[in-house]
Amino acid sequence: MSDYLDEPRLQKPLAKSGQPGVTIQREAAVEQASLIEISGLNKWYGQFHVLRDINLNVRKGEKIVICGPSGSGKSTLIRCINCLEEHQEGSIVVDGTRLTNDLKNIETIRREVGMVFQQFNLFPHLTILENCTLAPIWVRKQSRKAAEKLAMEYLERVRIPDQANKYPGQLSGGQQQRVAIARSLCMNPEVMLFDEPTSALDPEMIKEVLEVMVELAQEGMTMLCVTHEMGFARTVADRVIFMDEGQIIEQAPPEAFFSNPRSERTRRFLGQVLNH
Amino acid sequence: MISHDSNMIPAREPPATAVGVLAWGKNNLFANPLSALTTLLIAYGLYLLVPPLVQWAFIEATWFGTDSNACSSDGACWAFITARLDQFIYGFYPEEQQWRADLFFAQLVVLIAWLSFKATPGKKWVLGYSLVMMPVVSWFLLYGDLLGLEKVETHQWGGLMLTLLLALCGMIASLPFGVLLALGRRSNMPVIRSLCTGYIELWRGVPLITVLFMASVMLPLFVPEEVVFDKLLRALIGIILFQAAYMAEVVRGGLQAIPKGQFEAFNSLGLSYWQGMIMIILPQAMRLVIPGVVNTFIALFKDTSLVLVIGLFDLLAIIQAGLNDPAWLGNSIEGYLFAGLVFWVFCFGISKYSQRLEQQLHR
């Protein structure tokens, strides 16, 4: 593993611990190599131009927070990365695999990209443990025993191992979202996408989810978060991206972004989010 | 702690009008004048109706006999049923071979009991056997011409045996076929989608009788003689293809009720389309559509009686045939009542089983 991190590692890394080898071709591991390369990305919903000329490179281990008013295309952008949304122009390369219409490529990328949704989207007919082991068993072809061991490890990390045999409906929203994070981590992804992970939660549950995310960030996971939690952005982000009307208006490290935003629109947005 | 000193009021019985039969009657039967009037009217109606019915069906009824003359004119002639019960159950299946039909019935009873009771082990395997092997085993058991079993042509099959065989095979085959059609109709691939939509709309648009006529009369006209297979099998396939279209629409309703997030969740975990469908979407969708599926099953069970139009003698057809017997003229009420009772018992059983299944699944 390359030493792509300057941050101190608090605990052993969450990701990439003793996972079976994955056979996808990777570009030469250059120091600071881009894990995700998006260039010239354009997307339309019918006549509506929702993403306009997006260029974005994400380095391994980088943490990016994307913010912007609703309808600015930020969720659409990260949903393009694992092909939950199709784009019409431009290219997306994830970990050396180029996103095309080829189903094989899409599945390869999805294996390497974990995603956490606003509505958790746990599988309600399966227990917490089964939610976490399903993909490792059927996609990674792990044995049930190994998958369960791994799942319990991650459930401990998100602090709900005692709920393993319950069903999602029996858990609170915050617990469900932590399970969703654990479920994604069980696939040992290279990068995690968060699509407004705390927007559907009660205030007192937001904290417990954010704590897990901060920990994950400190352990070096590459993360793209769409969120309105500016405190989270300040704490962990390497870069904050502001989007409006389908475009990237501004991107900067959090200190510069919050203290000295360059564009008028960013300033207006920050004024609205921070002053309440 | 409450101390029981003499100042405490001891618990008393509630007044007689507040609990028990009297209270129930007062609340439900005589709550107000209108309710009291309705109760009295219905009671009078029952008084007019029930005693004569009991008189006819049980007290004055003749239970055994060899022809209509044995029956009294005031009561039901159940002798018609008892004398012909063998035929109603086995059709024209040769008598010395009827143990094979008995074995078929026994197999059903064992399988259903096995799947109904909680404590029995290996439910997965039994279910697998029921859904895959049971129709094939039953067919060869009844048809024979194998392993030293004498061949019994399908035109000799009939009665309850035939009804159950048609209904069971129809249910077992139409469900998976319907699921595939439903998935196809929601597919992203235009060719598959329009093929499935076309199939469903075509088969739903024609009456079952037409399908059965096509299978029994038209097909042999257009297809070379060597290729034409057994008439019963053709009817069965017709029923399956027909019911699958209905099943598909029921299942599609369930699929539409699954939130989009579930599809996105299994996609984002890297599961393939079929893995996601089989392990995530269908288990949830099928739970939702149990009432609809059972509804279709019950309709199918009763629709099997339409095979009489192509000369197959299911339970209803063979009872009707018996009514034309000169020795048993004038027993149509008893015959149809019996047919109705048998159909009702099976359909009610299916309904009860499905209610239990729903309760178990909706913990």
Side-chain angles (χ1 to χ4, degrees):
Chain A
M1 296 229 102
S2 57
D3 48 345
Y4 49 81
L5 282 176
D6 305 322
E7 298 104 311
R9 290 196 190 182
L10 297 183
Q11 284 142 321
K12 77 177 163 93
L14 260 178
K16 303 276 130 198
S17 54
Q19 59 155 328
V22 185
T23 53
I24 47 167
Q25 93 184 44
R26 299 212 167 127
E27 284 178 351
V30 186
E31 187 85 346
Q32 302 264 300
S34 290
L35 197 57
I36 299 174
E37 289 169 35
I38 301 173
S39 55
L41 185 70
N42 277 287
K43 178 175 171 60
W44 287 264
Y45 284 130
Q47 286 294 311
F48 180 55
H49 198 171
V50 58
L51 291 180
R52 306 177 194 180
D53 294 328
I54 303 281
N55 294 298
L56 176 64
N57 281 0
V58 182
R59 277 175 292 115
K60 212 169 160 72
E62 198 175 17
K63 280 139 280 286
I64 293 179
V65 165
I66 305 172
C67 61
S70 62
S72 58
K74 48 198 194 308
S75 285
T76 310
L77 171 61
I78 67 166
R79 287 159 61 86
C80 280
I81 294 173
N82 65 353
C83 208
L84 288 182
E85 303 276 356
E86 262 179 284
H87 59 276
Q88 281 84 33
E89 275 177 19
S91 84
I92 300 177
V93 179
V94 179
D95 202 16
T97 311
R98 198 189 158 94
L99 198 57
T100 56
N101 279 333
D102 184 6
L103 216 59
K104 276 270 166 297
N105 266 0
I106 293 177
E107 279 173 16
T108 308
I109 287 180
R110 281 175 176 165
R111 247 174 275 161
E112 299 309 317
V113 178
M115 180 136 186
V116 176
F117 300 88
Q118 184 179 352
Q119 298 295 340
F120 330 137
N121 294 345
L122 294 178
F123 306 129
H125 62 302
L126 301 177
T127 64
I128 301 307
L129 190 62
E130 288 166 338
N131 263 281
C132 293
T133 55
L134 189 79
I137 290 175
W138 292 96
V139 180
R140 293 273 194 231
K141 310 289 178 206
Q142 292 183 5
S143 72
R144 178 169 298 273
K145 224 172 167 182
E148 280 178 0
K149 189 163 164 280
L150 189 70
M152 285 312 293
E153 249 169 59
Y154 283 122
L155 285 175
E156 254 158 59
R157 303 305 299 278
V158 301
R159 295 185 275 280
I160 31 180
D162 45 327
Q163 314 280 5
N165 291 315
K166 288 192 180 167
Y167 286 86
Q170 298 168 290
L171 269 56
S172 74
Q175 291 174 321
Q176 290 195 42
Q177 193 61 296
R178 284 184 282 150
V179 171
I181 294 173
R183 177 176 73 177
S184 285
L185 290 175
C186 282
M187 285 293 286
N188 280 314
E190 290 283 340
V191 52
M192 289 282 286
L193 309 175
F194 291 85
D195 187 3
E196 305 204 25
T198 55
S199 299
L201 295 175
D202 293 339
E204 70 264 32
M205 293 171 183
I206 292 180
K207 197 164 154 268
E208 60 188 53
V209 172
L210 285 180
E211 278 171 5
V212 168
M213 289 172 63
V214 169
E215 239 174 68
L216 191 61
Q218 286 167 341
E219 285 156 15
M221 173 63 79
T222 314
M223 293 163 76
L224 271 91
C225 307
V226 172
T227 182
H228 298 297
E229 296 295 330
M230 292 303 142
F232 174 77
R234 275 212 180 87
T235 324
V236 302
D238 297 316
R239 228 193 311 170
V240 181
I241 292 178
F242 175 68
M243 283 183 74
D244 195 13
E245 290 179 8
Q247 301 165 49
I248 295 182
I249 304 290
E250 184 163 348
Q251 43 181 320
E255 313 85 58
F257 182 84
F258 288 111
S259 57
N260 188 21
R262 271 168 298 166
S263 93
E264 174 56 31
R265 231 174 320 179
T266 315
R267 238 167 282 153
R268 223 181 315 135
F269 174 78
L270 284 177
Q272 277 163 356
V273 210
L274 298 176
N275 292 341
H276 72 94
Chain B
M1 286 296 284
I2 301 165
S3 60
H4 290 275
D5 59 55
S6 54
N7 290 331
M8 299 297 289
I9 303 167
R12 289 192 300 262
E13 291 280 312
T17 48
V19 288
V21 182
L22 270 179
W24 183 89
K26 185 166 175 284
N27 286 332
N28 294 292
L29 300 177
F30 299 97
N32 56 47
L34 185 66
S35 150
L37 186 68
T38 325
T39 303
L40 290 175
L41 276 176
I42 291 175
Y44 182 64
L46 287 177
Y47 165 75
L48 288 184
L49 201 66
V50 173
L53 195 69
V54 172
Q55 183 89 2
W56 176 82
F58 298 103
I59 298 171
E60 300 278 331
T62 313
W63 294 92
F64 299 99
T66 48
D67 58 27
S68 284
N69 299 330
C71 294
S72 74
S73 53
D74 299 331
C77 187
W78 300 124
F80 168 63
I81 308 294
T82 50
R84 287 177 159 264
L85 198 58
D86 261 19
Q87 204 184 50
F88 292 167
I89 292 175
Y90 303 106
F92 305 110
Y93 211 79
E95 210 171 336
E96 68 280 1
Q97 298 291 334
Q98 279 176 7
W99 60 269
R100 280 153 62 177
D102 290 335
L103 209 58
F104 165 67
F105 288 126
Q107 175 189 231
L108 290 186
V109 171
V110 169
L111 287 179
I112 290 170
W114 199 288
L115 292 174
S116 301
F117 289 110
K118 264 200 176 128
T120 46
K123 281 213 169 52
K124 244 182 212 168
W125 296 102
V126 177
L127 193 67
Y129 172 84
S130 309
L131 295 184
V132 182
M133 292 301 293
M134 196 269 283
V136 182
V137 170
S138 303
W139 178 269
F140 283 111
L141 177 67
L142 293 172
Y143 189 73
D145 206 12
L146 193 82
L147 298 171
L149 285 176
E150 199 178 309
K151 183 169 165 182
V152 180
E153 293 282 356
T154 53
H155 64 77
Q156 291 176 289
W157 302 14
L160 184 62
M161 183 191 96
L162 181 67
T163 297
L164 284 181
L165 192 80
L166 283 172
L168 280 171
C169 293
M171 290 174 194
I172 289 169
S174 68
L175 185 57
F177 191 28
V179 168
L180 286 180
L181 280 172
L183 291 178
R185 193 166 182 175
R186 284 172 54 89
S187 163
N188 291 327
M189 289 174 261
V191 177
I192 291 182
R193 189 173 57 233
S194 31
L195 276 178
C196 290
T197 309
Y199 177 96
I200 292 170
E201 296 304 338
L202 177 74
W203 286 83
R204 271 203 315 177
V206 290
L208 181 56
I209 290 198
T210 323
V211 175
L212 291 173
F213 264 126
M214 284 292 282
S216 74
V217 184
M218 304 295 275
L219 198 66
L221 291 181
F222 296 119
V223 178
E225 208 172 318
E226 314 83 69
V227 186
V228 173
F229 44 89
D230 190 86
K231 181 158 88 174
L232 176 60
L233 211 53
R234 288 191 317 240
L236 185 57
I237 289 172
I239 290 176
I240 291 169
L241 295 181
F242 180 84
Q243 294 292 348
Y246 281 87
M247 204 57 84
E249 288 298 277
V250 172
V251 174
R252 191 166 68 95
L255 289 176
Q256 270 169 349
I258 305 298
K260 206 168 147 242
Q262 293 288 310
F263 293 85
E264 291 179 349
F266 85 70
N267 274 330
S268 73
L269 284 170
L271 290 165
S272 72
Y273 173 83
W274 286 109
Q275 286 174 333
M277 284 301 156
I278 292 169
M279 290 184 291
I280 307 297
I281 305 302
L282 283 175
Q284 294 182 59
M286 295 314 285
R287 261 173 230 202
L288 293 175
V289 297
I290 289 175
V293 167
V294 170
N295 206 18
T296 312
F297 276 172
I298 287 178
L300 187 156
F301 188 86
K302 292 184 293 184
D303 278 354
T304 54
S305 55
L306 284 176
V307 295
L308 79 97
V309 303
I310 57 168
L312 291 172
F313 286 93
D314 78 312
L315 179 68
L316 185 63
I318 210 150
I319 289 176
Q320 271 185 334
L323 293 173
N324 294 331
D325 184 342
W328 291 104
L329 286 178
N331 286 314
S332 43
I333 295 179
E334 290 86 344
Y336 287 124
L337 270 180
F338 177 71
L341 181 72
V342 174
F343 273 104
W344 181 81
V345 164
F346 279 99
C347 292
F348 188 66
I350 297 173
S351 162
K352 275 286 162 206
Y353 180 73
S354 81
Q355 282 172 19
R356 262 193 48 178
L357 202 62
E358 265 182 85
Q359 275 172 0
Q360 279 173 12
L361 291 175
H362 293 184
R363 279 165 289 215

